[in-house]
């Protein structure tokens, strides 16, 4: 299935333009993402895929167009962007764990301060998540002591601690040594199997093939082609997509 | 007269290609004590002391190079030989005589207490419990301490600052040498008329020129000069010029 | 400073003047700091024991001066540090007005010598409002050092990896919470040593209060010298006193610094 036409989309992106100085990073991009859908975005560097992802939680501000998350226009001053963001978990290429907090504290900080959980509730939830990502023995360790793969798994758990409806992944394995990529992808696959709505920017084609409901190829700020992964891999229609796949596959 | 002669000799000597130096002494004075010494608009030291020591020098046969040095370090400087003479309205006291040598007295003063216009006191006892300001290390401060009257004594770097503070209402009185008090009360542009020179101590003090201990030769020269200046009538002229009237 | 795992480098912010903070990782007993402290205290003791006249007399004349110096320093630190933080945040702010106010404040204050500022507040403003000597000193010193510290705070905060605030914002923290829970705690490590140095410089600048006849250590010393002419002896004691106080302050900063280094990887 390409798009679910029966349920309302959980993210709506309409005619979005974004400029860096005078250069357009996003050109008239439109996209709907259904709840529970797993979307993977691929493309050459500079294609705007990270910019698009970061526009969804307003880390980048769009210049034209509209982005609606769970019924709320993220650019509208009537909506509290901080509340909207609590529903969007983000995982970064550079992990961005808080180095001055232990692993457990990284996970409990936001739930305690923002969702007003008690310390016990937050820690219980955190320990459950750490178990899920396979790293519970490191709960009281500082991030500097962890490997890259371990840090990224903690980062995923941290984002999940806020129980978001949607998870955004910005090239989560690109900064990892090859032997650690697998452990992180395993966690992401598990997440996908549980039905989490995911938007993922990545170069990992194997992951895309396994997990994605829809693959989106971007080039020069535009969505050039989209569809099921097998379709795009075996019968790419657009010449630029063909060129890209030749380079990486 | 002697100065002109010396100058002529000097020029002659220089013309002959031989340097003959007239005796020249460095005189330190703290130019915050008008009218004895202060800075004019061109930042040059002027005042009774400046003129007096120059005249003494003329009479005794030496030249002076007058420099403005902060009161704080002035004694340290003469003790270490950086300056030869201190001509800074320095009262001769037994404590100071232990450490330094003085010339003969050349000026008589009393301590004066200055109050804001309209206020007055009859004796030091009237200052009981009040805030009194004076300059650090001056005999005014010593007199207050010696008197035993319980006052809140504040020592300022500069008597002018003490007067400022009194006009600002923070302290009640300022104690200093009477020529200075008279100057601030009568002559100085922004304070004249706002002050009342209310009380003078009966005890008199005497100014002397200060030199490093042991320099008897210098003391002799100074005394010679002082006698000459007092006898010649120059002193009277200077008093007229700086104090406005003879004492 | 060493590289951290997430790729950012620890920053060293140059500072103008002040004692050097002893290295918090220094574990050897004999080091520059301990030599200086032991040397200063024992010299002071020896002088007072061997020549009580005049050294002990000098030492007994100064204690209320020490109290005042301390009082002014502590109050100034308590005012200058928050002021520095606000100024630093103001300089980073996107709000044009706040940014302008903070920047102008820094420019103006850094252009006027501290002594002049003290003088102005105490004497010049006395026409309109009476401010006590200690208050004038605290206000002038806080404003002066607040401006310098503002720059330190600004540099320390901007040195923190942008990814940290992005991670915090994406979790739903607002700007204030991000600063408080994520950015500032990390920035404190780079900010603390220079701020500590500024506080030590502040201690020495308190000697300027003598212009207001406030009896701190320096003014008491000058008053003593004014009567006794014991320049060498008095200023020896004063130097040793300031040294001891400064060394203790710098050790305090060093201990605070080591407390902040708890999360470094090995």
């Amino acid at each position: 299935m390409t798009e679910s036409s029966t349920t309302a989309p959980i993210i709506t992106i309409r005619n979005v333009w974004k400029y860096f100085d005078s250069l357009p990073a996003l050109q008239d991009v439109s996209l709907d993402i259904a709840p529970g859908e797993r979307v993977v975005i691929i493309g050459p560097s500079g294609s705007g895929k990270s910019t698009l992802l970061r526009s969804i939680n307003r880390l980048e501000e769009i210049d034209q167009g509209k982005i609606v998350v769970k019924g709320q226009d993220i650019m509208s001053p009537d909506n509290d962007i901080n509340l909207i963001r609590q529903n969007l978990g983000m995982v970064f290429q550079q992990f961005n764990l808080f180095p001055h907090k232990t692993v457990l504290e990284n996970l409990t900080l936001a739930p305690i301060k923002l969702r007003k959980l008690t310390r016990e509730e937050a820690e219980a939830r955190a320990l459950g998540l750490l178990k899920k990502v396979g790293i519970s023995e490191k709960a009281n360790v500082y991030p500097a002591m962890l490997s890259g793969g371990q840090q990224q798994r903690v980062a995923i758990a941290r984002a999940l601690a806020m129980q978001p409806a949607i998870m955004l992944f910005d090239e989560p394995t690109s900064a990892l040594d090859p032997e650690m990529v697998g452990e992180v992808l395993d966690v992401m696959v598990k997440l996908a199997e549980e039905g989490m709505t995911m938007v993922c920017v990545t170069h990992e084609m194997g992951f895309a093939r396994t997990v994605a409901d829809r693959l989106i190829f971007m080039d020069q700020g535009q969505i050039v082609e989209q569809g099921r992964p097998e379709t795009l891999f075996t019968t790419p229609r657009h010449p630029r997509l063909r060129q890209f796949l030749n380079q990486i596959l | 007269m002697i100065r002109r002669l010396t100058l002529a000799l000097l020029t002659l000597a220089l013309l002959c290609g031989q340097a003959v130096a007239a005796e020249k002494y460095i005189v330190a004075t703290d130019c915050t004590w008008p009218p004895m010494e202060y800075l004019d608009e061109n930042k040059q030291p002027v005042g009774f002391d400046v003129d007096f020591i120059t005249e003494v020098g003329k009479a005794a046969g030496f030249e002076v190079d007058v420099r403005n040095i902060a009161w704080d370090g002035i004694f340290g400087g003469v003790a270490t030989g950086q300056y030869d003479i201190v001509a800074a309205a320095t009262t001769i006291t037994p404590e100071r005589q232990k450490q330094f040598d003085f010339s003969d007295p050349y000026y008589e003063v009393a301590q004066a207490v200055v109050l804001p216009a309209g206020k007055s006191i009859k004796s030091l006892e009237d200052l009981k419990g009040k805030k009194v300001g004076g300059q650090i290390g001056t005999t005014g401060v010593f007199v207050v301490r010696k008197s035993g009257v319980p006052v809140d004594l504040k020592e300022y770097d500069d008597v002018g600052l003490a007067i400022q503070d009194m006009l600002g209402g923070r302290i009640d009185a300022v104690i200093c040498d009477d020529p200075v008090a008279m100057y601030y009360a009568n002559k100085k542009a922004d304070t004249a008329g706002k002050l009342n020179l209310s009380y003078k101590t009966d005890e008199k003090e005497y100014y002397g020129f200060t030199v490093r201990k042991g320099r008897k030769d210098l003391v002799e020269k100074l005394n010679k000069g002082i006698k000459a200046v007092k006898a010649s009538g120059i002193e009277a002229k200077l008093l007229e010029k700086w104090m406005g009237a003879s004492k | 400073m060493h590289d951290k795992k997430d790729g950012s480098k620890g920053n060293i912010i140059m500072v103008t003047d002040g004692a050097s903070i002893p290295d918090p990782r220094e574990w050897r007993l004999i080091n520059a700091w301990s030599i200086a402290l032991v040397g200063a205290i024992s010299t002071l003791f020896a002088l007072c024991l061997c020549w009580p006249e005049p050294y002990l007399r000098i030492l007994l004349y100064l204690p209320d001066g020490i109290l005042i110096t301390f009082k002014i320093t502590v109050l100034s630190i308590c005012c200058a540090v928050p002021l520095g933080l606000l100024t630093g945040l103001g300089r980073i702010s996107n709000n044009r007005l706040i940014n302008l106010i903070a920047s102008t404040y820094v420019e103006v204050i850094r252009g006027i010598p501290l002594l002049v500022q003290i003088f102005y507040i105490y004497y010049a403003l006395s026409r309109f409002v009476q401010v006590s000597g200690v208050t004038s000193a605290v206000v002038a010193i806080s404003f002066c050092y607040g401006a310098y510290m503002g720059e330190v705070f600004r540099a320390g905060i901007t040195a923190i990896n942008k990814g940290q605030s992005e991670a915090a914002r994406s979790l739903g923290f607002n700007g204030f919470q991000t600063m408080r829970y994520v950015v500032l705690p990390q920035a404190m490590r780079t900010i603390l040593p220079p701020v500590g140095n500024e506080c030590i410089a502040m201690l020495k600048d308190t000697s300027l209060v003598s212009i207001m006849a406030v009896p701190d250590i320096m003014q008491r010393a000058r008053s003593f010298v004014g009567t006794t002419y014991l320049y060498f002896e008095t200023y020896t004691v004063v130097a040793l006193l300031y040294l001891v106080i400064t060394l203790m302050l710098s050790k305090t900063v060093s201990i605070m610094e080591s407390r902040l280094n708890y999360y470094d990887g090995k």
Side-chain angles (χ1 to χ4, degrees):
Chain A
M1 327 137 246
T2 41
E3 279 167 50
S4 179
S5 45
T6 45
T7 36
I10 199 170
I11 299 179
T12 309
I13 301 170
R14 279 276 171 281
N15 307 109
V16 161
W17 290 78
K18 164 94 189 140
Y19 295 92
F20 285 120
D21 292 326
S22 44
L23 294 167
L26 296 173
Q27 297 190 51
D28 200 14
V29 174
S30 294
L31 180 61
D32 280 350
I33 298 174
E37 192 177 1
R38 284 77 50 103
V39 173
V40 173
I41 308 178
I42 61 172
S45 78
S47 56
K49 42 193 206 299
S50 275
T51 311
L52 180 62
L53 190 78
R54 287 158 60 91
S55 302
I56 297 176
N57 71 351
R58 211 171 147 175
L59 282 182
E60 303 290 351
E61 296 210 341
I62 57 176
D63 296 309
Q64 268 179 278
K66 195 160 153 173
I67 298 181
V68 179
V69 172
K70 282 195 99 176
Q72 294 195 300
D73 181 349
I74 65 164
M75 296 301 291
S76 160
D78 298 327
N79 296 326
D80 184 358
I81 184 64
N82 299 314
L83 284 177
I84 297 176
R85 281 174 177 154
Q86 287 181 26
N87 239 333
L88 290 159
M90 186 151 202
V91 178
F92 298 86
Q93 183 175 350
Q94 298 292 345
F95 337 134
N96 289 334
L97 290 182
F98 305 138
H100 60 300
K101 303 253 176 229
T102 63
V103 161
L104 195 65
E105 285 166 351
N106 262 273
L107 265 66
T108 57
L109 183 68
I112 291 176
K113 301 292 178 194
L114 297 173
R115 290 273 166 84
K116 307 289 186 225
L117 263 62
T118 66
R119 177 161 296 280
E120 293 78 34
E121 291 169 344
E123 285 186 358
R125 186 191 293 184
L127 288 169
L129 285 168
L130 289 176
K131 194 154 169 212
K132 185 166 170 177
V133 303
I135 205 168
S136 22
E137 71 279 7
K138 302 279 186 190
N140 293 314
V141 160
Y142 285 96
M145 313 285 266
L146 300 176
S147 73
Q150 292 168 324
Q151 287 192 48
Q152 193 62 301
R153 285 186 277 151
V154 172
I156 296 174
R158 178 178 66 176
L160 290 173
M162 289 297 277
Q163 298 177 330
I166 305 154
M167 284 287 278
L168 304 171
F169 292 85
D170 190 357
E171 300 205 37
T173 56
S174 298
L176 294 175
D177 291 335
E179 63 268 20
M180 295 194 244
V181 168
E183 67 196 58
V184 174
L185 288 179
D186 286 343
V187 170
M188 290 167 70
V189 167
K190 214 196 290 184
L191 217 55
E193 284 167 0
E194 291 170 3
M196 169 71 74
T197 314
M198 289 165 67
V199 184
C200 191
V201 172
T202 185
H203 296 301
E204 296 291 328
M205 297 303 153
F207 173 78
R209 206 175 232 139
T210 321
V211 152
D213 294 318
R214 183 161 38 135
L215 194 63
I216 294 179
F217 173 69
M218 283 186 75
D219 189 30
Q220 294 179 9
Q222 292 171 307
I223 295 180
V224 169
E225 196 168 330
Q226 54 179 303
R228 289 201 60 80
E230 296 89 68
T231 322
L232 262 63
F233 287 145
T234 48
T235 48
R237 282 200 305 250
H238 205 281
R240 271 186 268 165
L241 176 55
R242 256 183 262 148
Q243 188 182 24
F244 178 70
L245 289 175
N246 280 336
Q247 285 167 340
I248 60 166
L249 284 178
Chain B
M1 165 68 187
I2 297 181
R3 193 188 175 98
R4 283 210 203 95
L5 253 173
T6 321
L7 259 163
L9 264 171
L10 235 177
T11 328
L12 208 59
L14 279 172
L15 286 172
C16 298
Q18 290 173 351
V20 174
E23 193 93 61
K24 192 168 190 162
Y25 293 121
I26 302 179
V27 174
T29 184
D30 173 36
C31 292
T32 62
W33 207 244
M36 302 303 292
E37 52 265 347
Y38 60 103
L39 295 173
D40 66 4
E41 308 89 53
N42 302 321
K43 312 284 189 307
Q44 295 306 307
V46 294
F48 181 86
D49 269 341
V50 178
D51 285 351
F52 201 91
I53 189 67
T54 313
E55 296 298 331
V56 165
K58 277 190 216 166
F62 60 83
E63 281 184 18
V64 294
D65 171 12
V66 181
R67 302 211 189 139
N68 180 20
I69 310 289
W71 180 250
D72 236 11
I74 220 172
F75 288 104
V78 82
T80 54
Q82 278 179 313
Y83 330 117
D84 301 297
I85 305 171
V86 174
T90 316
T91 305
I92 305 172
T93 69
E95 290 85 24
R96 287 174 179 167
Q97 278 176 315
K98 273 193 218 140
Q99 311 255 0
F100 305 99
D101 280 342
F102 282 89
S103 70
D104 290 337
Y106 67 91
Y107 194 82
E108 181 189 282
V109 291
Q111 288 303 316
V113 177
V114 181
L115 295 152
K119 301 230 172 84
S120 65
I121 56 166
K122 298 254 178 35
S123 70
L124 283 180
E125 267 71 41
D126 290 343
L127 291 173
K128 187 167 170 177
K130 300 248 195 274
K131 297 203 186 91
V132 178
Q135 186 162 317
I136 294 183
T138 60
T139 44
V141 168
F142 303 157
V143 162
V144 170
R145 284 216 191 100
K146 242 193 232 139
S147 73
V149 178
V151 301
D152 182 5
L153 185 59
K154 292 184 81 151
E155 295 181 62
Y156 291 81
D157 292 357
D158 186 307
V159 72
L161 291 175
I163 303 264
Q164 271 297 320
D165 237 12
M166 183 172 70
L167 290 173
R170 283 198 185 94
I171 58 175
D172 302 300
V174 175
I175 186 164
C176 57
D177 299 352
D178 67 314
V180 178
M182 283 199 290
Y183 181 82
Y184 273 103
N186 302 328
K187 280 212 169 175
K188 192 162 194 318
D190 48 338
T191 58
K194 296 191 193 153
L195 304 172
N196 176 20
L197 206 170
S198 183
Y199 171 78
K200 273 200 222 184
T201 58
D202 299 320
E203 260 182 68
K204 300 283 179 233
E205 303 176 1
Y206 298 92
Y207 290 161
F209 297 119
T210 322
V211 301
R212 191 177 64 196
K213 212 159 190 42
R215 293 198 65 175
K216 296 286 177 223
D217 58 319
L218 198 44
V219 174
E220 267 176 46
K221 285 205 186 106
L222 286 167
N223 291 343
K224 182 161 143 219
I226 292 172
K227 256 202 210 98
V229 169
K230 279 191 192 268
S232 67
I234 297 181
E235 187 199 20
K237 271 209 220 102
L238 290 179
L239 284 169
E240 181 77 47
K241 175 179 175 191
W242 293 107
M243 310 309 182
S246 58
K247 283 202 71 179
Chain C
M1 287 224 180
H2 39 274
D3 285 359
K4 317 229 184 85
K5 257 227 187 116
D6 62 353
S8 70
K9 284 194 187 330
N11 276 329
I12 302 175
I13 300 175
M14 299 311 286
V15 88
T16 48
D17 157 57
S20 74
I21 315 275
D23 189 344
R25 284 167 294 172
E26 177 64 71
W27 50 266
R28 287 177 291 217
L29 208 53
I30 300 182
N31 51 56
W33 179 84
S34 61
I35 292 177
L37 186 68
V38 170
I41 295 184
S42 49
T43 310
L44 215 47
F45 256 118
L47 287 173
C48 293
L49 266 136
C50 301
W51 297 281
E53 174 62 45
Y55 288 103
L56 193 57
R57 180 155 74 111
I58 298 171
L59 197 58
L60 293 174
Y61 191 80
L62 298 177
D64 18 342
I66 300 177
L67 230 64
I68 297 238
T69 298
F70 241 85
K71 184 170 159 194
I72 297 179
T73 310
V74 169
L75 285 173
S76 300
I77 293 178
C78 291
C79 296
V81 173
L83 190 56
L85 175 60
L86 287 173
T87 309
L89 291 173
R91 297 261 287 161
I92 301 174
S93 168
N94 289 324
N95 182 322
R96 181 111 181 102
L97 181 63
I98 293 179
N99 201 319
L100 218 55
I101 294 177
S103 303
T104 314
Y105 155 59
V106 171
E107 287 300 314
V108 168
I109 294 292
R110 297 209 316 184
I112 306 179
L114 179 56
L115 182 61
V116 174
Q117 293 178 39
I118 293 179
F119 197 93
Y120 199 79
I121 295 176
Y122 185 75
Y123 287 107
L125 289 187
S126 68
R127 262 179 243 192
F128 311 111
V129 55
Q130 286 275 315
V131 198
S132 83
V134 172
T135 314
S136 307
V138 172
V139 169
I141 294 178
S142 307
F143 266 90
C144 181
Y145 278 86
Y148 285 95
M149 288 193 194
E151 287 306 283
V152 176
F153 274 98
R154 186 183 61 83
I157 291 173
T158 46
I160 299 298
N161 198 316
K162 195 161 160 238
Q164 288 293 305
S165 57
E166 282 188 352
R169 296 305 300 257
S170 67
L171 283 169
F173 287 112
N174 64 26
F176 175 74
Q177 292 163 324
T178 304
M179 204 41 81
R180 181 170 162 208
Y181 297 119
V182 174
V183 176
L184 274 180
Q186 295 181 54
M188 286 318 279
R189 288 212 305 180
T190 22
I191 288 175
L192 187 63
V195 164
N197 265 330
E198 296 283 342
C199 291
I200 293 170
M202 218 190 277
L203 167 74
K204 289 186 278 176
D205 263 343
T206 57
S207 60
L208 293 172
V209 300
S210 72
I211 200 181
M212 298 180 287
V214 171
D216 75 321
I217 297 179
M218 209 48 185
Q219 210 260 10
R220 297 288 278 164
R222 293 165 69 190
S223 164
F224 189 81
V225 167
T227 355
T228 61
Y229 307 105
L230 295 168
Y231 285 92
F232 176 76
E233 296 81 349
T234 311
Y235 285 111
T236 304
V237 174
V238 169
L240 290 170
L241 264 178
Y242 269 111
L243 183 58
V244 170
I245 299 177
T246 305
L247 285 171
M248 298 210 285
L249 242 187
S250 69
K251 187 63 171 171
T252 311
V253 175
S254 170
I255 293 177
M256 287 172 71
E257 215 190 321
S258 68
R259 291 270 168 81
L260 288 178
N261 283 339
Y262 57 89
Y263 55 91
D264 262 346
K266 225 343 135 190

